[in-house]
Amino acid sequence: MPKSFIDEPTLALDRHDGNIFVLTMRKAPENRINSHYAQKLISAYNLIRKTIGPNAPGAVITRGNDAKFWCTGLELDESDTNPSANSEGFFPLLATLLDFPFPTIALITGHTFGGACPFALSHDYRVMNSSRGYISMPPVNLGLHFPGIGTLLRLKLQPQVARRMLLGAHRWTGKEALEDGLVDLVAPPEEMLGKAMELAGRWAPKAEMGVYSLLRGEL
């Protein structure tokens, strides 16, 4: 049986065998991220880091709470009252994942829009719902920009795919996302968690030598 570490209205964290943690976002509406929620996610990731400890196997899966939405990006209106929202929340969240000492898996349960795209790409692996949901980053349609918006796209995607995402605002289905390398696996909703757990179990031992995040940084 998994052990519950966090059980709050907006967030749950459970530990499974093999030091595999499942973090479930359940913030209304649609798991949109503001600076406060980003800090809450960071705290959960740091709890995982401290619980597992150094030179030990482990992995984390970040999932949505239903098969309709994974995350629909940032709460854009927060910047109207807090111009530092991204630097206080979203950017540190991405940095936490990019420097995480254990394998990270985004279990993309449903729609993934806007800032959720770099959030997903900051994970090492991505498993997507094969039956429902799109991945799309439409700032070009909304007149939005922030410094570094294309950095993870350049690092993680083929140039033509990054261009379709940032300049074309293309909407990928699970099948298309797999073909274009945005995700590593697709699975129907009832099999998604099992596939992500298999992936986590396969890669968790790679953290034992203590160089996982250092090697990730070389990519």
Side-chain angles (χ1 to χ4, degrees), residues 52-59 100-103 203-213:
I52 297 176
N55 303 327
F100 203 65
F102 306 98
W203 297 120
K206 297 298 182 183
E208 287 185 280
M209 300 307 294
V211 294
Y212 191 88
S213 65

Side-chain angles (χ1 to χ4, degrees), residues 3-217:
K3 178 181 178 181
S4 175
F5 275 63
I6 300 174
D7 186 11
E8 299 178 0
T10 62
L11 187 70
L13 180 65
D14 299 299
R15 183 184 192 175
H16 295 253
D17 291 342
N19 277 337
I20 296 172
F21 283 79
V22 177
L23 189 158
T24 304
M25 300 181 290
R26 49 192 191 191
K27 174 184 175 291
E30 302 168 1
N31 296 321
R32 286 187 205 139
I33 298 170
N34 55 28
S35 57
H36 176 75
Y37 194 59
Q39 287 296 329
K40 181 169 283 195
L41 291 168
I42 291 169
S43 295
Y45 291 125
N46 287 338
L47 175 59
I48 295 168
R49 183 198 299 252
K50 293 174 184 177
T51 301
I52 297 176
N55 303 327
V60 60
I61 297 167
T62 305
R63 69 173 180 174
N65 58 322
D66 60 39
K68 186 174 183 181
F69 298 104
W70 186 64
C71 173
T72 57
L74 308 181
E75 289 188 1
L76 298 176
D77 57 354
E78 183 185 14
S79 61
D80 295 338
T81 56
N82 181 11
S84 302
N86 282 344
S87 59
E88 291 175 359
F90 187 58
F91 295 157
L93 173 60
L94 301 186
T96 297
L97 284 163
L98 292 170
D99 192 43
F100 203 65
F102 306 98
T104 57
I105 299 166
L107 176 50
I108 301 173
T109 48
H111 295 310
T112 301
F113 294 145
C117 292
F119 181 33
L121 289 172
S122 65
H123 292 73
D124 298 317
Y125 303 95
R126 288 161 292 284
V127 178
M128 186 175 176
N129 189 335
S130 62
S131 303
R132 186 174 190 176
Y134 294 98
I135 293 178
S136 181
M137 192 172 178
V140 70
N141 294 342
L142 302 174
L144 299 174
H145 172 264
F146 59 79
I149 193 171
T151 301
L152 276 171
L153 280 62
R154 290 198 306 271
L155 290 172
K156 295 292 188 93
L157 304 174
Q158 293 295 321
Q160 297 89 340
V161 177
R163 182 179 63 201
R164 289 181 79 193
M165 177 172 280
L166 197 58
L167 301 183
H170 183 73
R171 289 165 57 127
W172 279 268
T173 64
K175 180 177 181 293
E176 291 173 329
L178 182 63
E179 292 171 350
D180 280 350
L182 273 75
V183 302
D184 300 278
L185 292 171
V186 295
E190 65 274 12
E191 298 178 13
M192 284 189 298
L193 179 59
K195 294 293 184 182
M197 292 291 289
E198 289 176 11
L199 201 60
R202 184 188 313 164
W203 297 120
K206 297 298 182 183
E208 287 185 280
M209 300 307 294
V211 294
Y212 191 88
S213 65
L214 295 175
L215 294 175
R216 183 198 289 117

